[in-house]
Amino acid sequence: MKISQTLHFRALYYKIYFQFRCSKYNKLNTQYFPIVVNPPQIIKKRTSEDTLIYSANRILIIRGLSMEIKYVTTTCPYCGTGCSFNLVVKDGKIIDAQPCQRSPVNEGKLCPKGVYGFEFINSPDRLTTPLIKKDGKQVPATWDEALALIAENFGKYKPEEIAVISSARCCNEDNYAMQKFARVVLKTPNVDHCARLCHAPTVAGLNMVFGSGASTNSFMDLANCGLAFIIGSNNFEAHPLAARRIMQAKKKGAKVIVCDPRLTPTAKQADLHIQHYPGTDIQLLNCLMKYIIENDWVDHEFVDNRTNGYEELKACVTQDKYNFENTSKICGVPVEKLQLALQWLHENQHKTAFVHCLGITQHTVGVDNVRSIAFIQTILGNIGKPGCGVNALRGQNNVQGACDMGALPNVYAGYLSVNNPEAVKKVADYWGVTDLPSGKLGLHIPEMLETLEHEPEKLKCLYLLGENPIMSDPNSKGVEKAMGNCEFLVVQDIFETETTKYANVVLPGSCYAEEDGTQTNAERRVQRFRKAQDAPGEAKLDWEIMKMIATKMGYGDKFAWETSEDVFNEMRKITPQYAGITYAKLEGDGIQWPCPTEDHPGTPILHISSFAGMPDGKAKLQAIEHRDPAEVVDAEYPFWLTTGATIWHWPSGSMTRRCAQLDRDCPTAWLEMNKKDAEKLGIADGEKVLLSSRRGEVAVAARVMEDIKEGVFFMPFHFIEARANLVTNTAYDPVSRTPEYKVCAVKVTKQEA
Amino acid sequence: MSAKGDMCYAWTKDAGIKGECGGAVTSLLKYMLENKIVDMVLTVKKGVDLYDPQPAFITDPAELVSTAGSLHCGTLLLPKLIKKYLNGAKDMKVAVTVKGCDAKAMYELAKRNQINMDNVVMIGLNCGGSVTPFMARKMIAEKYGVDPDCVFKEEIDKGQFIIEYTDAEGKHQHKGISIDELEEEGLGRRLNCQRCETKIPRQADIACGNWGVFGEKAGKATFVEICSEKGAMIFDGAVKSGIIETCAPEAKGLEIRGKIENVMVKMGKKNQKKQFEALGEGSEKLAMIMKETSRCIKCYSCIENCPICYCVECSTKKPHLVRPGIIPPDFMFQMIRFAHIADSCINCGQCQELCPMDIPNSLFMHAQQVELEKMFGHTPGVDMELPVLAFAEEADERARLNATGSDMIYENVFGEEK
C-alpha cells in the first residue's frame, strides 16, 4: 500500500474506533452506515455489537445489530402436570417466559409459577463453584479439589454405611445416572428420593392392586368424565392445569365432589363438599363401598372376570361399623352428604374419575387409602375406560420419572425388583458388573434420617441431590441433628439451603433451563427439557458431576456418556416402559408410557383389557379396615393439624421465594383456624401464636376464617422462619414409609405480649 | 410513486422465496432487512410442526425464507413482545407482520408510549381468523377423521377450513368443511376471531393477502394495498430493487375482495350480537361474570399479555385494593381490569386464550368495549386518538368535582349540561 493510503486507512480506523468507544453500549443506529464497497465480507466481530467488514482497501466497522432473541420450548420444573412454555433467551440469557400454545397438556395456559417461576434462574444466589468445609466454614474450591475429597471419602465407607438421595426435580437422565452411581460405584442398596414423602403410597398401593403404580388414565379423561370424585387433592392450587380439565368436565355437566377438611379453592368449585376429619378416608370409602355392594350396583362382569378377592372385600366393608350413621360420626360429615355422593357414584358408573393427591397419601395408612380408592373404582368397573380411573396427581415435576428410573430402594429402572434374581442378573449383565446390591431392600429416606439421628454409627455418608430435608421432612429438629451427625455429607444443588449448611462438600448443579433431558408427568407423559442457557459459573449438569466423580473413582467406563441423549438411550434399553421412546419421537406431544417399541404410539389409558403387571392379569381386592392416625387429638393436644402447599410456592421455597412476583402474594406462613375455635381461644386474626406438638413448637400468625373445619388447623410448610415441619409427626406408613404430614395433634397458646 | 390507497398484485422475483401466494410479504421483509431499512424482522415461523407457530426475531435475511407461508394456528400477538424484548423499538427499527389484532395492539401500545411506531414498519396480513393448535388437532382428528400429524397444509378459504394431508396409502388428499358448520358445533376459530371486524388491517403500512387475486395470477400473486406514506416509500423501493414485480389488479378481483371483506365483517357483527346477547343483562350478567371469574388463580397471564396493560406497578398488585395470597382473588381484581381496559379493548383474545381456567375474559371485556364505544364514540386501535380514560390531572379534576357541591359523580360527569 502507498503511504498515503496507509495513513488514510489508519485515520479512518481510528475515527471509527473512537466512534465506537464513545457511543452507548447496545445503541445502534441504522444511519451510521458508512459506504460499503463491494462485495463486503464479514471477517471478524470486534464485539457482539459490531460487524467488521473487509473489502479491497478498507476495513470498516459497521454498527450492526447482532442481538439474538429466541424461544426455547421446555417443560415446567414445578408440579407433575407437566405444562410446556417457552423460555425467552436474549443473547444467551433467559429473560422471560412466554406461552407455548402447542402443548397438549396446557395449551399455552400457565399458573402463577409457570408465568413467573423462571425468575430464580439468574438469581445472584446461584451456586457457581464447589464449596468445601474447612475449619467449620464453607469456602469456594476447585472441581479438582472437590472431586478428590469426595472420591477419597466415598471410598472409605462400607456400602451399607452410605446412602444416596436422588431428586424428583431432576430429569430422568439425572435420576438414572444417580441410581446407577449408587449401585455401581458406591455399591449401596440405599437409594431413595422424595416420592417417599408424597406418592410412594400410590406407587405401592396401585402396584399391589393393579400391578402398576402409576395413574391409570390421562388428564383428558378428567375433562370427559361424568363425575370427578376428588379426595385429598387441592388441585386448583397444586395442579391448576389439571384442575382445568375437571372444570371443563363441569362445564359440560359433570358433577364434582371434593373431600377435604378445608374449604379449599378446589372445594369451592364442588357441587358437593365433604368436609371430613383428617385421617378418616378409609371409613368414608368403605362406607360408600358398603352401600354399592348392598344396593347391587357392583359391575359384576368386571369383578368376576378381572379381579380376585371380592368376597374378602365384601365381608369387610359390609360390616355395620361402615354404615352411614357411624361413618357420619367418625368423619364428621352429615349423612345426607354421604348419601348424595353414593347416588352420584351410581348414576355416573363407567364415567367416574377419582382424583387424589397428598391428602390421601401422607398418612400412616396412605397405602391403604390408595388401595381403597382402587377398590371402589374396581368394583364399579371404572377402570380401563375413558373418563374413569385412579388419577394420582403426582407432586413433583419428575417424581413419576424418578420412580420409573429406579431411584428407589426396592427396584431398578422399570420397576424390576431388587429381590428378583432374574431382574438382578439382567441389570448386572447390562451394566457389566458382578456385585450389584440386591436381595435386600435399601433404606428409605425416613430410615436414613432416623438412623443418622439415633444410630449414626450405622450410617456415616450421604450423597444428596436437589433435596432440602430440613425443610421438607417432618420433625425438622431431628433432621438437623441427623445432618449434623453425618460424618461425610455431599449436597448437590442450585442454591445454598438450610441443608447445604451441614455439608462437607457442596456441588453446584444446573437447573431445568440449563440442560437437555426428559421428564415424566403424572399421566405418564414423557416430555423434553430443552437447554436454554448455560449454567452459571462452574456449575455443571447433574449427571455430568456424577460421571466426574465416577471417573475419579475408576468407574469412568460405566458412565461413558457425552450427551443427555446418550444417557436416555442407555436407560431405555433396560426400561421396558420407555423402550420405544426416542428424543426424536418426543417432539410435539411427548409420549405416554408404556411405549414398548419404536412404532408404538404410547398408552393414554392403562388396564383396558388386563392388569398386565399382576401374575394372573387380575386386580387384587382385599379387606382393609379403618385405623386411626398415629397421633390423635387428646386433652393435652386437642386440635388436628394438617399441612400442605399453596399455589405460589414450591415445597422448600428455595426456587419460588426467589421469584419476586410469587413471593409478593405469599411472603410468609400462617395458621388457618376456624372462627369458632379462635373465639374460644381468644385469638384474633393476624395474632402471632405458639403452635406446639410433641415434636416441637413454632410461632406463626393466625388466619381466622370459616373455610377450615372446626377443630382442625392448617399451615403451609414453605417458610424457614415459620417451619411447619417442626411440629409434624415422623410416624409413617409401614409399607411405603411416607410420613403422616397430614395429621398430628397440636395445641395453640397465645404468645406473651 | 405509490400513494396511500393504491392497490396492485405483487409477486416475488427472488428464486429462493416460496410464498403462500406470491411471496410479496417475505420479499418486502427481505428487502427491508438487507437494505438496513430495519434492524430486525419480527414475524412468525413454524416450530415443531404447522400447529406450532413461534415468534421469530430475525436479523439475518437468509432466515426469512423459512418464515414464508401462512399458519392459521398463529394465535399469538406480537406487539407486546416489541415492548418487552426490543425496548419498544425506541432504539432500533423493526418490521413486523401483523394481523388485524396485532395492528390495533400496536396503536394502543404506541398511544401509551410503550412503542415508538416511527421505528416500526407493519406489514399487514389479511386474516379470516385463527384456530388454537389444540382445537385444530382435535377438529382434524374428530371431525375430519384424519391423523393431525399427516396434515402438511391448512388454510381458510371460501368459508371453509381446508386441510391437505397424506392418507394411509401416501396419496395427497384435500378435505374442507364449512367454518359455519364447525362453529355451530363449538369447533373452529377462536371466539374473539369470530367477533372480529378487522379483516384487512389498514392500520398497517402495507396490507397484503390473497383475497382479490383473480385471473391468471390467482394463487401466484399477493394482493397489496398501500396504507401509509411509509408503506408507499418502502414498497416503491422494493419494486425498484427488483425483488418484487407488480401489475394492476383485475376489476373483478377488487369486487371479490370487497365482497369477502363485507361478508366477514357482517359475520363478525352477527357473532358479536349472538355472543353478547348470551351474557344476559344487568345483575344477571354481573352474577355470571362473578361466577366465571371465581375460578381465577391469579396467574397474571391476562395482564402480562394484554396489549393495553403496561403499568409497572399494576393496581391489582396493591394490597389495599386486592388482598394478596388469596385465590380466587377479590372481585376487585377483575373490576380493576374492566375499569382500566374496557374502553380500549381491541378484542385480540389473548386474555381468554391464555386463561388457565377458561374464563371468557375477552368476551366480557369486548362486550363492555362496544357499549363504551357507543357512549363515547372512541374506537380503539385505528389511530393515535387517546383513549377515553386518558390521564387527567387528578388534583384539578377533584377540585372541579368538589366545586359542584354535589356528590353525584355520575350525573356530574355524564349528565346533561345544566
Side-chain angles (χ1 to χ4, degrees), chain B residues 300-349:
Chain B
Y300 277 94
S301 293
C302 52
I303 290 171
E304 288 290 336
N305 290 281
C306 175
I308 318 300
C309 274
Y310 68 103
C311 293
V312 175
E313 289 172 22
C314 181
S315 298
T316 60
K317 296 186 181 177
K318 300 193 170 147
H320 65 281
L321 293 175
V322 179
R323 290 175 298 168
I326 298 174
I327 58 167
D330 301 325
F331 190 64
M332 184 56 131
F333 183 102
Q334 316 297 338
M335 290 295 288
I336 291 170
R337 279 273 299 159
F338 291 140
H340 293 183
I341 308 301
D343 69 327
S344 299
C345 175
I346 51 158
N347 189 28
C348 71

Short mmCIF file of all heavy atoms in Angstrom, two decimals, chain B residues 300-349:
data_model
loop_
_atom_site.label_atom_id
_atom_site.label_comp_id
_atom_site.label_asym_id
_atom_site.label_seq_id
_atom_site.Cartn_x
_atom_site.Cartn_y
_atom_site.Cartn_z
N TYR B 300 -51.92 -14.06 36.23
CA TYR B 300 -51.47 -12.83 35.57
C TYR B 300 -51.24 -12.96 34.08
O TYR B 300 -50.73 -12.04 33.46
CB TYR B 300 -50.21 -12.24 36.25
CG TYR B 300 -50.57 -11.40 37.44
CD1 TYR B 300 -50.59 -11.94 38.71
CD2 TYR B 300 -50.95 -10.07 37.28
CE1 TYR B 300 -50.97 -11.18 39.80
CE2 TYR B 300 -51.33 -9.29 38.37
CZ TYR B 300 -51.33 -9.86 39.63
OH TYR B 300 -51.71 -9.10 40.71
N SER B 301 -51.65 -14.06 33.49
CA SER B 301 -51.48 -14.18 32.03
C SER B 301 -52.28 -13.13 31.29
O SER B 301 -51.83 -12.59 30.28
CB SER B 301 -51.90 -15.58 31.56
OG SER B 301 -51.04 -16.54 32.05
N CYS B 302 -53.49 -12.83 31.80
CA CYS B 302 -54.32 -11.83 31.10
C CYS B 302 -53.59 -10.50 31.07
O CYS B 302 -53.51 -9.83 30.04
CB CYS B 302 -55.68 -11.69 31.77
SG CYS B 302 -55.65 -11.39 33.54
N ILE B 303 -53.03 -10.12 32.20
CA ILE B 303 -52.36 -8.82 32.31
C ILE B 303 -51.04 -8.81 31.57
O ILE B 303 -50.70 -7.85 30.87
CB ILE B 303 -52.21 -8.47 33.81
CG1 ILE B 303 -53.59 -8.17 34.38
CG2 ILE B 303 -51.24 -7.34 34.03
CD1 ILE B 303 -53.64 -8.01 35.87
N GLU B 304 -50.27 -9.88 31.68
CA GLU B 304 -48.97 -9.92 31.02
C GLU B 304 -49.11 -9.85 29.50
O GLU B 304 -48.25 -9.31 28.82
CB GLU B 304 -48.22 -11.21 31.40
CG GLU B 304 -47.69 -11.24 32.83
CD GLU B 304 -46.54 -10.29 33.07
OE1 GLU B 304 -45.83 -9.92 32.11
OE2 GLU B 304 -46.32 -9.89 34.23
N ASN B 305 -50.20 -10.42 28.96
CA ASN B 305 -50.33 -10.49 27.50
C ASN B 305 -51.24 -9.43 26.89
O ASN B 305 -51.30 -9.30 25.68
CB ASN B 305 -50.84 -11.89 27.12
CG ASN B 305 -49.78 -12.94 27.35
OD1 ASN B 305 -48.87 -13.10 26.55
ND2 ASN B 305 -49.87 -13.65 28.46
N CYS B 306 -51.98 -8.70 27.75
CA CYS B 306 -52.90 -7.69 27.22
C CYS B 306 -52.12 -6.53 26.65
O CYS B 306 -51.26 -5.95 27.34
CB CYS B 306 -53.81 -7.21 28.34
SG CYS B 306 -54.90 -5.86 27.83
N PRO B 307 -52.39 -6.13 25.40
CA PRO B 307 -51.65 -5.01 24.83
C PRO B 307 -52.03 -3.66 25.42
O PRO B 307 -51.35 -2.67 25.19
CB PRO B 307 -52.01 -5.05 23.34
CG PRO B 307 -53.28 -5.81 23.27
CD PRO B 307 -53.30 -6.75 24.43
N ILE B 308 -53.12 -3.61 26.18
CA ILE B 308 -53.48 -2.35 26.81
C ILE B 308 -52.79 -2.20 28.17
O ILE B 308 -52.58 -1.11 28.67
CB ILE B 308 -55.02 -2.25 27.00
CG1 ILE B 308 -55.76 -2.77 25.77
CG2 ILE B 308 -55.43 -0.83 27.32
CD1 ILE B 308 -55.44 -2.04 24.49
N CYS B 309 -52.48 -3.34 28.77
CA CYS B 309 -51.82 -3.32 30.08
C CYS B 309 -50.34 -3.03 29.93
O CYS B 309 -49.65 -3.70 29.17
CB CYS B 309 -51.94 -4.69 30.75
SG CYS B 309 -53.46 -4.89 31.66
N TYR B 310 -49.86 -2.02 30.71
CA TYR B 310 -48.43 -1.73 30.62
C TYR B 310 -47.85 -1.20 31.92
O TYR B 310 -46.66 -0.99 32.01
CB TYR B 310 -48.18 -0.70 29.52
CG TYR B 310 -48.73 0.67 29.86
CD1 TYR B 310 -47.89 1.69 30.29
CD2 TYR B 310 -50.09 0.93 29.78
CE1 TYR B 310 -48.39 2.93 30.63
CE2 TYR B 310 -50.60 2.17 30.12
CZ TYR B 310 -49.75 3.16 30.53
OH TYR B 310 -50.26 4.39 30.88
N CYS B 311 -48.69 -1.02 32.93
CA CYS B 311 -48.23 -0.39 34.16
C CYS B 311 -47.15 -1.21 34.83
O CYS B 311 -47.23 -2.43 34.92
CB CYS B 311 -49.37 -0.24 35.14
SG CYS B 311 -50.61 0.92 34.57
N VAL B 312 -46.12 -0.52 35.31
CA VAL B 312 -45.05 -1.20 36.04
C VAL B 312 -45.59 -1.65 37.39
O VAL B 312 -45.32 -2.74 37.87
CB VAL B 312 -43.85 -0.26 36.21
CG1 VAL B 312 -42.78 -0.90 37.06
CG2 VAL B 312 -43.29 0.11 34.85
N GLU B 313 -46.40 -0.76 38.03
CA GLU B 313 -47.00 -1.15 39.31
C GLU B 313 -48.49 -1.35 39.09
O GLU B 313 -49.26 -0.42 39.25
CB GLU B 313 -46.81 -0.04 40.34
CG GLU B 313 -45.39 0.12 40.81
CD GLU B 313 -45.22 1.37 41.68
OE1 GLU B 313 -46.22 1.85 42.25
OE2 GLU B 313 -44.10 1.87 41.74
N CYS B 314 -48.85 -2.55 38.72
CA CYS B 314 -50.24 -2.83 38.42
C CYS B 314 -51.09 -2.65 39.66
O CYS B 314 -50.73 -3.11 40.75
CB CYS B 314 -50.36 -4.26 37.90
SG CYS B 314 -52.04 -4.71 37.47
N SER B 315 -52.23 -1.98 39.48
CA SER B 315 -53.11 -1.76 40.62
C SER B 315 -53.57 -3.05 41.28
O SER B 315 -53.88 -3.07 42.46
CB SER B 315 -54.34 -0.95 40.18
OG SER B 315 -53.94 0.31 39.70
N THR B 316 -53.62 -4.11 40.51
CA THR B 316 -54.08 -5.38 41.10
C THR B 316 -53.06 -5.93 42.08
O THR B 316 -53.36 -6.83 42.85
CB THR B 316 -54.30 -6.45 40.02
OG1 THR B 316 -53.07 -6.67 39.34
CG2 THR B 316 -55.39 -6.05 39.06
N LYS B 317 -51.84 -5.38 42.06
CA LYS B 317 -50.83 -5.87 42.98
C LYS B 317 -50.75 -5.02 44.23
O LYS B 317 -49.86 -5.19 45.06
CB LYS B 317 -49.46 -5.90 42.27
CG LYS B 317 -49.47 -6.89 41.11
CD LYS B 317 -48.12 -7.08 40.46
CE LYS B 317 -48.23 -8.07 39.30
NZ LYS B 317 -47.00 -8.27 38.55
N LYS B 318 -51.69 -4.05 44.38
CA LYS B 318 -51.67 -3.20 45.57
C LYS B 318 -52.55 -3.82 46.66
O LYS B 318 -53.75 -3.99 46.47
CB LYS B 318 -52.13 -1.80 45.20
CG LYS B 318 -51.21 -1.20 44.14
CD LYS B 318 -51.36 0.26 43.92
CE LYS B 318 -50.21 0.69 43.02
NZ LYS B 318 -50.52 1.76 42.12
N PRO B 319 -51.94 -4.13 47.80
CA PRO B 319 -52.66 -4.88 48.84
C PRO B 319 -53.91 -4.17 49.36
O PRO B 319 -54.82 -4.84 49.84
CB PRO B 319 -51.65 -5.05 49.95
CG PRO B 319 -50.39 -4.44 49.51
CD PRO B 319 -50.55 -3.84 48.17
N HIS B 320 -53.98 -2.85 49.26
CA HIS B 320 -55.18 -2.18 49.77
C HIS B 320 -56.33 -2.27 48.78
O HIS B 320 -57.46 -1.98 49.11
CB HIS B 320 -54.88 -0.72 50.12
CG HIS B 320 -54.52 0.13 48.93
ND1 HIS B 320 -53.28 0.12 48.36
CD2 HIS B 320 -55.26 0.99 48.19
CE1 HIS B 320 -53.25 0.95 47.34
NE2 HIS B 320 -54.45 1.49 47.20
N LEU B 321 -56.03 -2.73 47.55
CA LEU B 321 -57.10 -2.90 46.56
C LEU B 321 -57.49 -4.37 46.40
O LEU B 321 -58.66 -4.71 46.32
CB LEU B 321 -56.66 -2.34 45.20
CG LEU B 321 -56.47 -0.82 45.13
CD1 LEU B 321 -55.91 -0.42 43.76
CD2 LEU B 321 -57.78 -0.10 45.39
N VAL B 322 -56.48 -5.23 46.37
CA VAL B 322 -56.72 -6.66 46.21
C VAL B 322 -55.87 -7.38 47.23
O VAL B 322 -54.64 -7.28 47.21
CB VAL B 322 -56.32 -7.14 44.79
CG1 VAL B 322 -56.55 -8.64 44.65
CG2 VAL B 322 -57.09 -6.38 43.73
N ARG B 323 -56.53 -8.12 48.14
CA ARG B 323 -55.75 -8.80 49.19
C ARG B 323 -54.82 -9.84 48.54
O ARG B 323 -55.26 -10.66 47.74
CB ARG B 323 -56.69 -9.51 50.16
CG ARG B 323 -57.48 -8.55 51.05
CD ARG B 323 -58.48 -9.30 51.91
NE ARG B 323 -59.48 -10.00 51.11
CZ ARG B 323 -60.30 -10.90 51.60
NH1 ARG B 323 -60.25 -11.24 52.88
NH2 ARG B 323 -61.19 -11.48 50.82
N PRO B 324 -53.55 -9.82 48.93
CA PRO B 324 -52.62 -10.77 48.33
C PRO B 324 -52.81 -12.17 48.85
O PRO B 324 -53.39 -12.39 49.91
CB PRO B 324 -51.24 -10.22 48.75
CG PRO B 324 -51.49 -9.40 49.95
CD PRO B 324 -52.90 -8.92 49.90
N GLY B 325 -52.33 -13.14 48.10
CA GLY B 325 -52.23 -14.51 48.56
C GLY B 325 -53.54 -15.26 48.69
O GLY B 325 -53.61 -16.27 49.37
N ILE B 326 -54.57 -14.80 48.01
CA ILE B 326 -55.85 -15.50 48.13
C ILE B 326 -56.33 -15.85 46.73
O ILE B 326 -56.30 -15.01 45.83
CB ILE B 326 -56.92 -14.58 48.76
CG1 ILE B 326 -56.50 -14.20 50.17
CG2 ILE B 326 -58.28 -15.26 48.80
CD1 ILE B 326 -57.42 -13.19 50.79
N ILE B 327 -56.78 -17.08 46.52
CA ILE B 327 -57.46 -17.38 45.27
C ILE B 327 -58.82 -18.00 45.57
O ILE B 327 -58.94 -18.78 46.49
CB ILE B 327 -56.64 -18.30 44.33
CG1 ILE B 327 -56.28 -19.64 45.00
CG2 ILE B 327 -55.41 -17.60 43.82
CD1 ILE B 327 -55.76 -20.63 43.98
N PRO B 328 -59.84 -17.64 44.82
CA PRO B 328 -59.80 -16.61 43.79
C PRO B 328 -59.55 -15.23 44.39
O PRO B 328 -59.96 -14.98 45.53
CB PRO B 328 -61.20 -16.69 43.16
CG PRO B 328 -62.06 -17.26 44.21
CD PRO B 328 -61.20 -18.17 45.01
N PRO B 329 -58.90 -14.34 43.65
CA PRO B 329 -58.66 -13.00 44.23
C PRO B 329 -59.99 -12.27 44.39
O PRO B 329 -60.98 -12.60 43.74
CB PRO B 329 -57.78 -12.33 43.19
CG PRO B 329 -58.03 -13.05 41.92
CD PRO B 329 -58.40 -14.45 42.29
N ASP B 330 -59.99 -11.27 45.26
CA ASP B 330 -61.19 -10.44 45.42
C ASP B 330 -61.68 -9.99 44.04
O ASP B 330 -60.89 -9.72 43.15
CB ASP B 330 -60.87 -9.20 46.25
CG ASP B 330 -60.35 -9.57 47.64
OD1 ASP B 330 -60.82 -10.58 48.19
OD2 ASP B 330 -59.46 -8.85 48.14
N PHE B 331 -62.98 -9.86 43.90
CA PHE B 331 -63.57 -9.47 42.61
C PHE B 331 -63.02 -8.13 42.14
O PHE B 331 -63.05 -7.81 40.95
CB PHE B 331 -65.09 -9.43 42.72
CG PHE B 331 -65.77 -9.26 41.39
CD1 PHE B 331 -65.67 -10.24 40.40
CD2 PHE B 331 -66.50 -8.10 41.09
CE1 PHE B 331 -66.27 -10.08 39.16
CE2 PHE B 331 -67.11 -7.95 39.85
CZ PHE B 331 -67.00 -8.93 38.89
N MET B 332 -62.48 -7.37 43.09
CA MET B 332 -61.86 -6.10 42.73
C MET B 332 -60.77 -6.29 41.67
O MET B 332 -60.53 -5.42 40.85
CB MET B 332 -61.24 -5.48 43.99
CG MET B 332 -60.65 -4.10 43.78
SD MET B 332 -61.84 -2.95 43.10
CE MET B 332 -61.62 -1.59 44.19
N PHE B 333 -60.10 -7.44 41.70
CA PHE B 333 -59.08 -7.73 40.68
C PHE B 333 -59.69 -7.59 39.29
O PHE B 333 -59.17 -6.90 38.41
CB PHE B 333 -58.56 -9.16 40.91
CG PHE B 333 -57.44 -9.57 40.00
CD1 PHE B 333 -56.14 -9.58 40.44
CD2 PHE B 333 -57.71 -9.99 38.69
CE1 PHE B 333 -55.11 -9.98 39.60
CE2 PHE B 333 -56.68 -10.38 37.84
CZ PHE B 333 -55.38 -10.38 38.31
N GLN B 334 -60.82 -8.24 39.08
CA GLN B 334 -61.48 -8.20 37.78
C GLN B 334 -62.01 -6.79 37.49
O GLN B 334 -61.94 -6.30 36.37
CB GLN B 334 -62.65 -9.20 37.73
CG GLN B 334 -62.37 -10.57 38.34
CD GLN B 334 -61.28 -11.32 37.60
OE1 GLN B 334 -60.97 -11.05 36.43
NE2 GLN B 334 -60.65 -12.27 38.27
N MET B 335 -62.52 -6.14 38.54
CA MET B 335 -63.07 -4.78 38.37
C MET B 335 -61.99 -3.82 37.89
O MET B 335 -62.25 -2.97 37.05
CB MET B 335 -63.64 -4.28 39.70
CG MET B 335 -64.91 -4.97 40.16
SD MET B 335 -66.28 -4.66 39.05
CE MET B 335 -66.61 -2.97 39.44
N ILE B 336 -60.80 -3.97 38.46
CA ILE B 336 -59.70 -3.09 38.04
C ILE B 336 -59.41 -3.32 36.58
O ILE B 336 -59.25 -2.38 35.79
CB ILE B 336 -58.44 -3.35 38.90
CG1 ILE B 336 -58.67 -2.86 40.33
CG2 ILE B 336 -57.21 -2.67 38.31
CD1 ILE B 336 -57.59 -3.27 41.31
N ARG B 337 -59.37 -4.57 36.16
CA ARG B 337 -59.13 -4.88 34.74
C ARG B 337 -60.22 -4.24 33.88
O ARG B 337 -59.94 -3.56 32.91
CB ARG B 337 -59.15 -6.41 34.55
CG ARG B 337 -57.86 -7.09 34.92
CD ARG B 337 -56.87 -7.12 33.79
NE ARG B 337 -57.36 -7.86 32.62
CZ ARG B 337 -56.88 -7.70 31.39
NH1 ARG B 337 -55.93 -6.84 31.16
NH2 ARG B 337 -57.37 -8.42 30.40
N PHE B 338 -61.49 -4.46 34.26
CA PHE B 338 -62.58 -3.91 33.45
C PHE B 338 -62.50 -2.39 33.40
O PHE B 338 -62.63 -1.77 32.35
CB PHE B 338 -63.95 -4.32 34.02
CG PHE B 338 -64.24 -5.79 33.88
CD1 PHE B 338 -64.86 -6.49 34.89
CD2 PHE B 338 -63.88 -6.48 32.73
CE1 PHE B 338 -65.14 -7.84 34.77
CE2 PHE B 338 -64.15 -7.84 32.59
CZ PHE B 338 -64.79 -8.53 33.63
N ALA B 339 -62.26 -1.79 34.56
CA ALA B 339 -62.27 -0.33 34.61
C ALA B 339 -61.15 0.26 33.77
O ALA B 339 -61.31 1.29 33.14
CB ALA B 339 -62.15 0.14 36.06
N HIS B 340 -59.98 -0.37 33.76
CA HIS B 340 -58.83 0.22 33.08
C HIS B 340 -58.73 -0.13 31.61
O HIS B 340 -58.09 0.57 30.85
CB HIS B 340 -57.54 -0.21 33.78
CG HIS B 340 -57.40 0.33 35.16
ND1 HIS B 340 -56.29 0.12 35.94
CD2 HIS B 340 -58.22 1.09 35.92
CE1 HIS B 340 -56.45 0.73 37.12
NE2 HIS B 340 -57.61 1.31 37.13
N ILE B 341 -59.33 -1.26 31.23
CA ILE B 341 -59.09 -1.76 29.87
C ILE B 341 -60.29 -1.57 28.94
O ILE B 341 -60.14 -1.42 27.74
CB ILE B 341 -58.75 -3.28 29.93
CG1 ILE B 341 -57.63 -3.57 30.91
CG2 ILE B 341 -58.43 -3.83 28.55
CD1 ILE B 341 -56.35 -2.86 30.57
N ALA B 342 -61.50 -1.61 29.53
CA ALA B 342 -62.69 -1.78 28.69
C ALA B 342 -62.84 -0.75 27.58
O ALA B 342 -63.36 -1.08 26.53
CB ALA B 342 -63.95 -1.78 29.56
N ASP B 343 -62.37 0.46 27.80
CA ASP B 343 -62.58 1.46 26.76
C ASP B 343 -61.69 1.20 25.54
O ASP B 343 -61.97 1.65 24.44
CB ASP B 343 -62.31 2.87 27.30
CG ASP B 343 -60.84 3.10 27.59
OD1 ASP B 343 -60.15 2.14 27.99
OD2 ASP B 343 -60.36 4.24 27.42
N SER B 344 -60.61 0.45 25.75
CA SER B 344 -59.62 0.28 24.68
C SER B 344 -59.46 -1.15 24.21
O SER B 344 -58.56 -1.44 23.43
CB SER B 344 -58.26 0.79 25.14
OG SER B 344 -58.33 2.16 25.44
N CYS B 345 -60.30 -2.05 24.68
CA CYS B 345 -60.12 -3.44 24.31
C CYS B 345 -60.23 -3.61 22.80
O CYS B 345 -61.18 -3.14 22.19
CB CYS B 345 -61.18 -4.30 25.00
SG CYS B 345 -61.12 -6.03 24.48
N ILE B 346 -59.23 -4.26 22.21
CA ILE B 346 -59.24 -4.43 20.76
C ILE B 346 -59.64 -5.84 20.36
O ILE B 346 -59.50 -6.23 19.20
CB ILE B 346 -57.84 -4.11 20.16
CG1 ILE B 346 -56.77 -4.89 20.92
CG2 ILE B 346 -57.58 -2.62 20.21
CD1 ILE B 346 -55.50 -5.06 20.15
N ASN B 347 -60.12 -6.62 21.33
CA ASN B 347 -60.62 -7.95 21.01
C ASN B 347 -59.55 -8.85 20.41
O ASN B 347 -59.77 -9.58 19.47
CB ASN B 347 -61.82 -7.85 20.04
CG ASN B 347 -62.52 -9.18 19.84
OD1 ASN B 347 -62.51 -10.04 20.70
ND2 ASN B 347 -63.10 -9.37 18.66
N CYS B 348 -58.34 -8.80 20.99
CA CYS B 348 -57.27 -9.66 20.48
C CYS B 348 -57.40 -11.08 21.02
O CYS B 348 -56.81 -12.00 20.49
CB CYS B 348 -55.91 -9.09 20.85
SG CYS B 348 -55.50 -9.22 22.60
N GLY B 349 -58.16 -11.25 22.12
CA GLY B 349 -58.45 -12.58 22.62
C GLY B 349 -57.38 -13.24 23.47
O GLY B 349 -57.56 -14.37 23.93
#
